[in-house]
Amino acid sequence: MGVQGLWEVVNKAGQSRSLSNLAVKEGFEKNHSGIRAFRIGIDASIWYQHCVHSKGGENPELRLLFFRLCSLARLPFLPLFVFDGDGRPKIKRGSKLGKSGSHSLTSGMKKLLDIFGMEWRMALGEAEAELAHLNRYGVIDAVLTDDVDALVFGALRVIKNSSLTLSGNKSNPALNSEGKPSKHHAMIYTAEAIRRHPEVGLTRGGFVLFAMLVKGDYGDIQGVRDVGKGIALGLARCGFGDELLELFHRRSTEDIRPALARWRSSVNLELHTNSRKQLRHSYSALSLPLDFPNMQILENYIDPICSARVGSMGGGKMRDTGELDLARAAAFCEEKFGEWGYRTAIIKRFRSLMWEAAIMRVFRRAALEADEKERTKRLERGESSVIKGPLTPSPAEAVGTPAYLVKKYLAMTDVDRRRAAFAPQSSFEGHNSCNRPLITKILGTRQHVSTDGLLEYRVEVCPSQFVEIAQSGIKGKRSEPTGHVTALDVNLIGSSSQAQATQRTTKKLPSDPHSNMRVWIPVSMVRQVEPCLAVDYEARQEKSIHK
């Protein structure tokens, strides 16, 4: 998507990295944001386009959105979804293909985001331009997208959507450390790496010039005839894009038309002579048109309609106040997905779809509570309250994952919040009927290729609380089917590629939804939240070594 041929140019400067590793190392452990998460911005309309070919069953597009949000929620990412606003350029190619805030999926998408506790905002204009602005100003750490225009708009770090089935990824898939295509990895591009790469060398101005020369999303009025990516890259590497960027910024204080004419003459001279040796050869018959560049398109790229125009950061810092609501998620599935929208199927499906996301939410929130404890201690000692890096509290200072904490972050009602605000924590805990621990024990460790060697614990989890919370949202609107149906029957989710992958790789789920399950959790998260379990496990390992 976006400027044609630009992904192929910048691919050389991209780095393949495990998304788990990125989220944990850059987000949770370094904690530059102070919220124990890696903040990513997402153009909601691109997800709409991914849903175009979803088929089978009720609401197949919403079903795919739901599945993707489940996957995203399993990692310590803090997503910010941005929707296109009314000021989006009308001439933008693809405006009828889900690039509009009035798309039929928008209402359902916003409802899902609220259920998952994920923040969303409306852009003034184009979502991709707003996200690039938010990335430049540090509101988000990266833009997750298929659209290379994010780089043209000035994004500092772009994560290309990782699906191996996307057409743009087939020729340049993200590879793991074994050199194999990996669905767990994504290509990451930074403006600095692109600028420094000896075969790319694109600056912000270079990106803009490339976009102006090559056909992109602005239809027939964009691009120069007979100019492809090779010529566009060569001219950009000569510095003509930076010169054009400077001229554009002078337009409000002077008449830049004479300077533009001289600039065109310089570009044409380079085309005819190749004096700087950035082109494959000279192009004596090729010249820029007298009306190049189109100033409206140039403005769309350099100064697009976004919150920067009104001197703001599009809503300011991410709020991180939403929570994953398992009961509402179950109710949504009951209402929208008829093939598995009945009680037993929802609970079985949630075991593979939702429980890991719920565990991650509880662990990240518990880690933030541990941070707050540490911050209070430091302030009392007169030290800096800024917390960077992972914590390793003593077992006596552990926050843990008790039942009240699970309810607090996954099923807190307004009544519960008022009671928690005015009653001691011990009093609030006493109201919970479920006292079973969420994490029962640590079984082992691994450093897997899918996570670029991130150290993880194999943890046994009791999902009973999750089951009870989810069941509370199911109203019994759909009756149980007759006969034996498993929640992993491919017919329940139609013919999507995710259904086929599930059919190939997922084992049959246990009949008892309350039975313990095993998941991998980063060691740094476990040590900060459940230090007792970590200390006990390490002691057992040490003892077994010295037997």
Side-chain angles (χ1 to χ4, degrees):
M1 297 177 64
V3 180
Q4 295 181 10
L6 188 50
W7 275 128
E8 289 89 335
V9 169
V10 300
N11 276 340
K12 296 176 182 178
Q15 175 195 18
S16 178
R17 187 168 181 183
S18 160
L19 290 175
S20 296
N21 190 289
L22 175 70
V24 174
K25 291 290 188 180
E26 301 293 326
F28 182 86
E29 293 185 5
K30 288 186 177 180
N31 196 33
H32 290 310
S33 64
I35 53 178
R36 294 292 177 190
F38 190 87
R39 303 163 300 175
I40 54 173
I42 301 171
D43 180 351
S45 64
I46 290 180
W47 280 36
Y48 295 164
Q49 297 206 28
H50 295 166
C51 296
V52 169
H53 302 294
S54 297
K55 297 177 181 178
E58 293 183 29
N59 300 301
E61 296 92 350
L62 280 177
R63 185 183 63 225
L64 182 57
L65 290 175
F66 177 76
F67 287 156
R68 294 194 65 181
L69 290 174
C70 287
S71 296
L72 190 62
R74 292 172 185 167
L75 298 173
F77 283 123
L78 189 66
L80 171 61
F81 284 81
V82 176
F83 294 83
D84 286 319
D86 294 336
R88 182 180 180 273
K90 304 303 180 184
I91 58 175
K92 188 82 172 183
R93 180 168 59 90
S95 60
K96 296 181 180 179
L97 297 174
K99 295 288 290 182
S100 168
S102 61
H103 191 275
S104 60
L105 287 174
T106 297
S107 176
M109 179 65 165
K110 289 179 178 178
K111 186 173 182 179
L112 277 173
L113 293 175
D114 289 341
I115 288 171
F116 278 84
M118 296 178 181
E119 188 176 345
W120 58 267
R121 301 177 186 178
M122 296 297 300
L124 294 176
E126 194 169 354
E128 210 74 38
E130 182 67 27
L131 289 167
H133 169 63
L134 295 177
N135 187 209
R136 288 197 305 276
Y137 281 84
V139 176
I140 55 177
D141 299 308
V143 180
L144 177 66
T145 185
D146 308 343
D147 195 340
V148 73
D149 280 358
L151 291 167
V152 183
F153 286 130
L156 300 180
R157 176 152 52 175
V158 168
I159 305 171
K160 195 175 183 184
N161 275 317
S162 59
S163 174
L164 295 176
T165 61
L166 293 175
S167 58
N169 291 341
K170 292 180 179 178
S171 61
N172 187 56
L175 307 178
N176 61 25
S177 60
E178 297 176 349
K180 299 177 181 178
S182 169
K183 64 180 180 180
H184 303 289
H185 287 65
M187 294 300 296
I188 299 175
Y189 305 85
T190 66
E192 182 68 12
I194 291 170
R195 183 181 68 82
R196 290 180 175 275
H197 195 281
E199 297 180 50
V200 185
L202 285 176
T203 60
R204 173 77 196 286
F207 272 118
V208 171
L209 178 60
F210 190 106
M212 297 296 295
L213 291 168
V214 179
K215 191 173 180 64
D217 283 346
Y218 293 106
D220 294 335
I221 64 172
Q222 182 178 358
V224 175
R225 185 177 178 180
D226 296 329
V227 173
K229 62 183 181 183
I231 296 176
L233 177 62
L235 293 175
R237 286 168 58 86
C238 288
F240 292 119
D242 297 323
E243 294 174 12
L244 183 61
L245 190 63
E246 181 186 354
L247 288 174
F248 177 84
H249 288 309
R250 286 162 44 190
R251 78 196 188 289
S252 61
T253 57
E254 64 178 271
D255 182 0
I256 64 170
R257 285 176 293 181
L260 275 177
R262 292 192 295 272
W263 176 84
R264 276 192 300 271
S265 296
S266 296
V267 175
N268 290 336
L269 179 62
E270 186 61 30
L271 284 169
H272 301 159
T273 63
N274 190 25
S275 62
R276 305 185 198 185
K277 306 303 179 185
Q278 295 298 327
L279 304 172
R280 292 181 62 186
H281 53 78
S282 60
Y283 297 85
S284 57
L286 185 60
S287 296
L288 295 182
L290 294 177
D291 60 352
F292 184 89
N294 181 298
M295 293 305 293
Q296 181 58 61
I297 296 179
L298 190 62
E299 183 177 24
N300 289 344
Y301 280 128
I302 298 176
D303 187 24
I305 298 173
C306 67
S307 57
R309 285 199 178 184
V310 294
S312 72
M313 293 191 298
K317 294 182 179 180
M318 293 187 67
R319 291 179 281 277
D320 191 26
T321 55
E323 301 298 351
L324 173 61
D325 193 325
L326 293 179
R328 287 183 64 199
F332 185 90
C333 294
E334 181 181 32
E335 177 186 354
K336 300 296 185 181
F337 309 138
E339 299 81 1
W340 52 280
Y342 52 94
R343 186 177 301 273
T344 57
I346 290 172
I347 297 303
K348 286 184 178 180
R349 176 55 58 83
F350 273 27
R351 187 179 179 97
S352 62
L353 287 176
M354 293 290 288
W355 294 170
E356 286 189 49
I359 294 166
M360 180 56 64
R361 179 57 61 99
V362 172
F363 260 82
R364 191 172 76 82
R365 289 302 191 202
L368 289 173
E369 293 201 10
D371 283 351
E372 190 58 35
K373 281 188 173 184
E374 177 65 19
R375 187 175 293 109
T376 300
K377 288 169 51 181
R378 293 184 183 184
L379 287 173
E380 291 174 349
R381 296 194 298 261
E383 301 175 358
S384 171
S385 62
V386 177
I387 298 176
K388 304 294 184 184
L391 298 180
T392 53
S394 68
E397 299 172 317
V399 172
T401 53
Y404 86 89
L405 200 70
V406 174
K407 183 172 184 179
K408 178 179 178 180
Y409 293 119
L410 299 180
M412 181 80 81
T413 65
D414 290 338
V415 173
D416 291 329
R417 291 188 181 92
R418 287 193 292 271
R419 184 168 67 240
F422 295 103
Q425 179 171 298
S426 58
S427 173
F428 181 62
E429 291 181 46
H431 288 276
N432 288 275
S433 61
C434 179
N435 293 313
R436 287 157 290 194
L438 177 61
I439 309 298
T440 61
K441 58 183 174 181
I442 299 174
L443 303 171
T445 62
R446 75 170 184 178
Q447 290 178 282
H448 197 264
V449 66
S450 65
T451 63
D452 288 339
L454 181 71
L455 186 59
E456 298 172 291
Y457 281 137
R458 185 65 161 172
V459 172
E460 187 169 85
V461 178
C462 175
S464 292
Q465 258 191 287
F466 299 160
V467 172
E468 292 169 11
I469 294 170
Q471 285 182 334
S472 70
I474 302 172
K475 307 304 180 185
K477 295 178 179 179
R478 300 180 190 267
S479 58
E480 298 283 331
T482 58
H484 178 70
V485 182
T486 70
L488 291 182
D489 188 333
V490 70
N491 293 323
L492 296 179
I493 54 176
S495 58
S496 70
S497 59
Q498 182 150 354
Q500 296 167 8
T502 300
Q503 186 184 38
R504 288 194 303 268
T505 62
T506 309
K507 297 179 180 179
K508 184 178 179 181
L509 297 176
S511 57
D512 180 9
H514 292 274
S515 62
N516 287 354
M517 59 187 292
R518 296 176 178 182
V519 298
W520 292 103
I521 302 178
V523 165
S524 58
M525 300 186 77
V526 178
R527 286 176 176 169
Q528 179 158 337
V529 174
E530 292 279 12
C532 300
L533 292 177
V535 169
D536 288 347
Y537 173 78
E538 298 297 342
R540 294 198 309 270
Q541 293 300 107
E542 184 71 19
K543 186 176 181 180
S544 66
I545 292 174
H546 292 93
K547 274 187 176 181

